[in-house]
Amino acid sequence: MRNHLLLGTEWHQLYLSGYLQQVKPYTVPVIGVMDFGIGFVLMWLYALARPRLGPGPKTALRMGSIAWFLFFVPRAMDQWMWYHVPIKIPVTYFFIGLLECWIAIYLAGWQYIEKAP
């Protein structure tokens, strides 16, 4: 979503300038698998933290922030420091990534219910 809706113009300009390769047929499925994997890790983090930190949004936001720091902050920093891309791209990854992690882990936590002993 972030790449198409928020950054579509920037990515298109980079493609037209020759900085990016043409999109491969497997690009969208690979991105989908990566997002699914991130969602699985978020759910796993919440399930591990819930017995120690308690159920609820506070635990979900804490774990979402940790996942954001591990997944999105390094990517945004790499884009900012090493690639010649418009500043809007790493800034969007930085902030929208946090929002994505919070929403995804909150939804995962909402679905997660421990079985009674």
Side-chain angles (χ1 to χ4, degrees):
M1 178 185 96
R2 99 184 73 83
N3 282 320
H4 183 69
L5 294 176
L6 300 176
L7 300 173
T9 305
E10 285 76 14
W11 287 120
H12 186 68
Q13 290 301 323
L14 288 170
Y15 172 71
L16 292 177
S17 70
Y19 188 73
L20 298 176
Q21 298 179 10
Q22 186 175 6
V23 175
K24 307 287 191 244
Y26 52 81
T27 301
V28 173
V30 168
I31 291 172
V33 169
M34 287 174 30
D35 285 346
F36 182 75
I38 290 171
F40 181 77
V41 170
L42 287 167
M43 184 175 57
W44 182 70
L45 278 174
Y46 181 77
L48 288 176
R50 185 175 169 158
R52 291 168 188 85
L53 301 176
K58 189 174 179 181
T59 298
L61 293 179
R62 283 181 182 173
M63 293 300 104
S65 297
I66 290 171
W68 164 76
F69 187 75
L70 294 172
F71 289 129
F72 288 96
V73 170
R75 179 68 175 151
M77 295 301 290
D78 282 346
Q79 289 174 342
W80 176 61
M81 292 189 310
W82 304 111
Y83 299 110
H84 299 290
V85 297
I87 192 67
K88 183 179 178 183
I89 292 173
V91 167
T92 301
Y93 268 80
F94 193 80
F95 291 110
I96 298 299
L98 179 61
L99 185 62
E100 286 177 3
C101 283
W102 281 349
I103 291 170
I105 203 163
Y106 183 78
L107 292 175
W110 184 52
Q111 294 295 317
Y112 176 76
I113 298 172
E114 294 173 344
K115 294 181 180 179

